[in-house]
Amino acid sequence: MHVSNLKLYRHPISGHSHRAELMLSILGLDYELINVDLKNGEHKKPQFRKLNMLGQVPVLVDGDTVIADSSAILVYLAKTYDKTGAWLPDAAVELAEIQRFLSIASHQMVKGLVTARAIKLLGKDLDYTAAINESISLLNLLDEYLNGREWMVGEQHTIADIALYTYTKLAPEAGVKMDIYSNIRHWLGNVESINGFISMNAKK
Amino acid sequence: MHVSNLKLYRHPISGHSHRAELMLSILGLDYELINVDLKNGEHKKPQFRKLNMLGQVPVLVDGDTVIADSSAILVYLAKTYDKTGAWLPDAAVELAEIQRFLSIASHQMVKGLVTARAIKLLGKDLDYTAAINESISLLNLLDEYLNGREWMVGEQHTIADIALYTYTKLAPEAGVKMDIYSNIRHWLGNVESINGFISMNAKK
């Protein structure tokens, strides 16, 4: 292991941070985790806002390059460090399908599973019923979609799988039982069998 | 003009649909607009769900290829029909920065400007104050970000500009005054000066 230039600003409870770490780990990269003190508002202070104007984790710093947003980090890492090209294929249709799942990760998943988990875990004052309905609706669709599929897009893993993995895995923390979603559970297992997979907060 | 294979399923009031149409028009493509009767729930019926399991416009059909999600359509069109490569560059950092703005278009913009407009225009039973706060917060950030910039990413237009254009332009319909956002207004003008630009519902 050489001294790493890759620093991931994150928080241990943040599923968005885990997405980024998962990709770093799977690509076999050496990286340093830097905890951002969300509880004391460190992410809203000017120093952190220089890294991300939105004041959110995760942010990846790679030498002089700063990338905010978990989906953007997945794109950056795949494009820079995946020599196989498998994680972010170049073909138009596959690229568009991946984008579609990145949009779902930023929209329906945030509205549903991310919000429901934040209410349960952090006591956020938001509409839990609405968040659960959105979660169930998305999980129903994904389970049907994954029928007969091993991966979200095409015949092999892509960044779409990484983008959707964490909050789906964390659904029980959001108060959602996953028993009935057998296709989703099979797919979660596929992601977990990828070489280099790392669970949330497994790294010391 | 040849007979078009490109069909855009859309709704005249949908800013997400306009994003897709804007890209079609700017790339000089011949396309057919097909209105989906959202008012009568056509988008939630099985026939439409075959095109998009989420039951949302826009959907692009290009021969045998079906692409749902406005960001995914931008990616598909740029990758397939933009021979210059300018709209979706191949470099990792630019691609990641574009992704970041696509994420903003799917998350903060939906939570803010899209929702506020839906409340105003369609009377949706959602929290207007929350949507306006989110809108103002994003517009403040974007206006600061655009200080000294002509485009969202790098030195020329990309799909990031197209993804953010429509709902920013429609902010007054959401109840937001744009007077103070001089950098944003300058950028809106830049997008409108692109060859092939088409306003919402300009096509007969």
Side-chain angles (χ1 to χ4, degrees), chain B residues 8-47:
Chain B
L8 184 66
Y9 290 81
R10 51 78 94 155
H11 189 276
I13 210 176
S14 154
H16 287 90
S17 298
H18 179 247
R19 283 178 190 162
E21 186 185 359
L22 197 42
M23 196 75 236
L24 284 161
S25 178
I26 286 171
L27 290 175
L29 300 165
D30 186 18
Y31 58 93
E32 184 187 343
L33 296 178
I34 299 171
N35 287 325
V36 179
D37 187 355
L38 304 187
K39 213 170 173 181
N40 288 311
E42 190 185 344
H43 55 309
K44 300 297 180 193
K45 290 185 181 157
Q47 202 176 348

Side-chain angles (χ1 to χ4, degrees), chain B residues 73-117:
Chain B
I73 292 171
L74 297 182
V75 166
Y76 174 78
L77 289 174
K79 200 76 188 170
T80 308
Y81 295 107
D82 167 29
K83 300 304 170 204
T84 72
W87 289 97
L88 189 64
D90 200 48
V93 173
E94 280 169 298
L95 212 53
E97 287 183 0
I98 289 170
Q99 181 60 54
R100 192 198 184 190
F101 286 107
L102 297 185
S103 295
I104 288 174
S106 298
H107 181 184
Q108 286 84 359
M109 189 160 266
V110 168
K111 226 170 142 181
L113 290 166
V114 177
T115 302
R117 180 171 174 263

Side-chain angles (χ1 to χ4, degrees), chain A residues 80-201:
Chain A
T80 308
Y81 294 107
D82 167 28
K83 300 304 170 204
T84 72
W87 289 97
L88 189 63
D90 199 49
V93 174
E94 281 169 298
L95 212 52
E97 287 183 0
I98 289 170
Q99 182 59 55
R100 190 195 186 195
F101 286 107
L102 297 185
S103 296
I104 288 174
S106 298
H107 180 184
Q108 286 84 358
M109 188 161 267
V110 168
K111 225 170 143 183
L113 290 166
V114 177
T115 302
R117 179 171 175 263
I119 295 167
K120 279 271 193 190
L121 251 56
L122 310 172
K124 294 246 179 191
D125 182 23
L126 295 163
D127 185 344
Y128 184 70
T129 307
I132 283 295
N133 288 343
E134 187 78 27
S135 303
I136 301 294
S137 164
L138 179 60
L139 291 168
N140 286 345
L141 286 172
L142 289 180
D143 199 66
E144 194 182 331
Y145 173 80
L146 285 167
N147 186 21
R149 288 177 194 265
E150 299 297 319
W151 306 102
M152 286 293 167
V153 174
E155 303 295 322
Q156 58 182 330
H157 44 54
T158 67
I159 61 170
D161 299 292
I162 306 303
L164 293 183
Y165 171 80
T166 306
Y167 286 102
T168 308
K169 179 69 179 180
L170 296 173
E173 289 187 7
V176 178
K177 285 202 180 120
M178 293 298 286
D179 315 45
I180 59 166
Y181 300 117
S182 57
N183 297 320
I184 292 179
R185 284 188 290 113
H186 176 74
W187 164 79
L188 289 172
N190 287 346
V191 175
E192 286 156 12
S193 71
I194 297 169
N195 207 6
F197 174 85
I198 189 166
S199 296
M200 217 165 151
N201 301 318

